[in-house]
Amino acid sequence: MDWNFQTAEELAAALRAGDVTSAELTDEAIARIERHDKAINAICVPDFDRARAAARDADQARARGEDRPLLGIPVTVKESYDIAGLPTTWGMPPHRDYVPAEDAVQVSRLRSAGAVVLGKTNVPLGLQDVQSFNEIYGTTNNPWDHARTPGGSSGGSAAALASGFGALSIGSDIGGSLRTPAHFCGVYAHKPSLGLAANRGMVPPPAPALPAESDLAVVGPMARSARDLTLLLDVMAGPDPLTLGVAHDLTLPPARHERLGDFRVLVLDEHPLIATGSAVRAGVNRVADALVEGGARVERHSPLLPDLTEAAVLYTQLLFSGSAARLPVQAYEELRLLAAGLSADDRSLDATRLRGMVFSHRDWVEANGRRELHRHGWRQLFAEFDAVVCPITPTAAFPHDHNPDLLGRRLDIDGVEYPYLDQLVWAGLATMPGLPATAVPAGRSPEGLPVGVQLIGPMFEDRTPLRLAELLEQEIGGFQAPK
C-alpha cells in the first residue's frame, strides 16, 4: 500500500493496528523525497539518519505499549524553526552556517508527541515574500505547475505536503505565510489565534531563542485534512513554560456547532482596495453554495463588519513598522526622507507601507489603539456570526517572480496589474486583530490550479473554524494529489 498520501489520522490508526511500522513509513517517505524532490525542492535540509533512528525508537515505544498523538508519524518542519544540529538560516546567506544547539519549543512538542522529523522545508529570504526562494537553497516549485510558486513563506511545507513528503508540517504566519501556500498547493493550514501557540525558537539567526510576544506573527499547523489540523494544533497549543512556569496545557472552548446547518456565516468576496480574481471568487462561491445546501445561514453583507479599508491600512502600518524596526540606521534614514517626500494626499498602500516603516513609537501606539477598536468590532460581529468566509489572496498560484524590488513587482489579476504586496490585504484581515483562520481547498482554477479560501473565527475559538473546515471537507471534498 502507498502510505504517502494518507492523513496523519489514518497513519496513526494503521500504526496502532500493526498494519505498518514507523520505520516502514519513514523509509517510504524518504524514498519518495529522494525520487521526486529534485523537481520540487521542498526539503532544503534533510535529516534522514536521525529520522530513521526516531522511527525505530517509535516502534520500540509502541511495542512497550506506549501511545502518543503523533507516535511514529513522519513530518516536516519549516526551515525557520530551530532544530538542534541543523542550520537555521531564514534563507539569509550571512547565516548559512548558523546551527542552534536547542530545538524550538514546537519542535520539542512534535518530538514529545512522537513525531518523526524528516527535515526542514524551504522559505524565502527572511521569510519576507509570498514565494519561497533564496540564494542558499534555491527555488521551491509548485507541485501543480513547476513554473509557479508554491507560495510563502511556508511554501516548502505546503509543497512537501502536496507532494506526499510527510503527513504534517509546521509553519508560521504574519502575512498569510501558512494560508497562502495552502491555497496555492491545495492543502490545509490553520493560523491560530494570536498567542495561542508558543513561538520560542522561531527567530531569525543569530538571535537567541527567547520567549517573546508577537503583535502579529503566529506559528501553526499544516496538513492534508481538516481533522489533521486539529490533531496537530492540540500538540502545538499552549503557553511557553518559560513565561508562565506551567505545564503545556490549554483547553480551548469547543466548536460552537457540530452540524453545518447550525452555522451562521458571513461570506465576503470583494475588497475595496484590490480586485478578486474570477477563479478565487468561484472558490468562495462554491463554499457559499455548499453552506446554503447544508442549511447554514449565509449572509453577504453585515453592518457589523469592521471597515475593510481601515483594516488593511492598520495591518500594513503594523506589519511594516515591525519589519523595518531592525534596519541599519542609514537605511532607516533613507526611508524617512522618502516618506517625508510623499504627498499628504497619497493614501495608496505603497505610501502606507513607506510611512509604516518609519513609524515612531507614538504612531505605533495610536495604530494599536485603533486595532483594539477593530477587535471590539469583531467581537460584536461574532455575536451574530460564527465564521467569515473570504479569499486568502486574489489569485491562484502565479509564475515565479524573482525581481529583487518587491515594491516594483506587479500581480496580474484577470489581466489587470496591481502592486504585488497589495495581495496581502485579505491575509491581514485575520492577522491584524489576531483572529484564527483556517485555509481550506475550494476547487480548481480554469488552468487546473488549486484554489483555497479562509474561514475566520472568533478569538480563541479556533475549534469553530476548524470544525467548519471538517464539515466543508465532507461536502465539497478536500486535498487531491497533483497528477
Side-chain angles (χ1 to χ4, degrees):
M1 181 173 179
D2 182 358
W3 299 100
N4 289 302
F5 286 103
Q6 299 290 301
T7 67
E9 189 177 40
E10 290 165 341
L11 294 180
L15 286 163
R16 289 184 185 114
D19 296 337
V20 69
T21 67
S22 179
E24 290 168 338
L25 292 180
T26 301
D27 283 340
E28 194 169 312
I30 290 170
R32 183 170 180 83
I33 292 166
E34 290 177 337
R35 192 162 59 245
H36 294 294
D37 197 39
K38 291 182 181 65
I40 304 298
N41 193 34
I43 311 296
C44 60
V45 185
D47 197 19
F48 296 159
D49 289 344
R50 291 198 297 184
R52 288 189 170 104
R56 289 193 296 270
D57 289 345
D59 288 331
Q60 290 167 5
R62 193 171 293 282
R64 293 192 300 269
E66 292 184 30
D67 193 12
R68 284 172 263 157
L70 306 179
L71 186 59
I73 294 173
V75 307
T76 61
V77 171
K78 187 175 182 177
E79 199 273 354
S80 48
Y81 285 89
D82 286 350
I83 297 182
L86 299 182
T88 297
T89 71
W90 288 43
M92 299 186 284
H95 303 299
R96 65 170 65 240
D97 297 321
Y98 177 73
V99 178
E102 292 182 359
D103 286 346
V105 66
Q106 293 299 345
V107 174
S108 296
R109 287 179 181 174
L110 282 178
R111 296 197 197 281
S112 295
V116 173
V117 178
L118 297 167
K120 288 185 155 199
T121 60
N122 203 22
V123 297
L125 176 67
L127 312 191
Q128 294 187 334
D129 203 345
V130 190
Q131 305 176 70
S132 293
F133 66 93
N134 60 75
E135 290 182 24
I136 302 173
Y137 299 121
T139 300
T140 300
N141 298 319
N142 191 308
W144 290 86
D145 179 350
H146 297 178
R148 294 175 187 263
T149 181
S153 61
S154 310
S157 287
L161 287 167
S163 301
F165 305 160
L168 302 167
S169 195
I170 57 173
S172 61
D173 192 311
I174 193 171
S177 287
L178 285 159
R179 293 163 286 162
T180 298
H183 156 47
F184 284 180
C185 293
V187 300
Y188 288 81
H190 181 70
K191 184 198 92 64
S193 296
L194 183 67
L196 175 61
N199 60 9
R200 177 165 45 91
M202 228 289 302
V203 61
L210 302 173
E213 291 185 16
S214 169
D215 73 320
L216 292 171
V218 300
V219 296
M222 306 182 78
R224 286 190 295 267
S225 79
R227 287 175 63 88
D228 277 0
L229 288 180
T230 299
L231 175 71
L232 184 48
L233 182 66
D234 285 345
V235 170
M236 299 181 74
D240 190 323
L242 292 188
T243 56
L244 292 182
V246 296
H248 162 48
D249 180 41
L250 185 76
T251 303
L252 288 171
R256 290 186 175 186
H257 310 293
E258 288 299 318
R259 294 174 55 255
L260 199 59
D262 294 333
F263 275 84
R264 304 162 300 168
V265 182
L266 178 64
V267 174
L268 308 175
D269 65 357
E270 291 185 359
H271 198 286
L273 298 183
I274 197 166
T276 304
S278 55
V280 169
R281 191 186 303 276
V284 172
N285 288 331
R286 184 168 184 238
V287 168
D289 291 345
L291 290 166
V292 170
E293 288 168 14
R297 191 191 108 202
V298 175
E299 303 286 345
R300 291 282 187 161
H301 304 280
S302 171
L304 296 172
L305 181 70
D307 182 81
L308 296 182
T309 297
E310 186 183 31
V313 169
L314 277 174
Y315 168 67
T316 301
Q317 290 170 334
L318 293 166
L319 177 67
F320 282 85
S321 65
S323 66
R326 294 181 181 85
L327 286 175
V329 173
Q330 183 178 348
Y332 183 77
E333 289 302 324
E334 289 172 1
L335 289 171
R336 280 177 49 141
L337 287 173
L338 289 171
L342 289 171
S343 165
D345 297 330
D346 189 345
R347 296 294 164 195
S348 67
L349 286 178
D350 269 344
T352 303
R353 282 185 274 271
L354 186 52
R355 293 189 185 106
M357 287 183 197
V358 294
F359 254 27
S360 67
H361 184 60
R362 179 188 179 93
D363 293 330
W364 188 91
V365 168
E366 194 270 333
N368 190 50
R370 285 188 288 132
R371 166 163 50 186
E372 290 301 335
L373 291 173
H374 273 253
R375 283 181 171 148
H376 185 62
W378 281 104
R379 282 191 287 271
Q380 293 176 308
L381 177 100
F382 283 123
E384 298 293 327
F385 294 94
D386 304 306
V388 173
V389 174
C390 64
I392 296 167
T393 70
T395 69
F398 51 83
H400 297 295
D401 182 353
H402 293 185
N403 177 356
D405 176 16
L406 269 71
L407 298 180
R409 292 183 194 165
R410 291 292 178 265
L411 179 71
D412 183 307
I413 304 177
D414 291 348
V416 179
E417 290 193 343
Y418 288 81
Y420 178 81
L421 292 173
D422 285 9
Q423 67 184 296
L424 299 180
V425 296
W426 281 116
L429 189 62
T431 301
M432 184 270 289
L435 301 172
T438 307
V440 303
R444 298 276 175 271
S445 74
E447 299 87 2
L449 298 167
V451 170
V453 304
Q454 62 181 331
L455 318 174
I456 302 175
M459 190 78 168
F460 290 116
E461 294 190 53
D462 294 57
R463 296 195 192 283
T464 292
L466 285 166
R467 177 59 181 159
L468 183 56
E470 288 181 33
L471 294 167
L472 283 168
E473 187 174 9
Q474 295 165 17
E475 291 291 317
I476 65 173
F479 170 78
Q480 295 176 351
K483 297 196 168 49

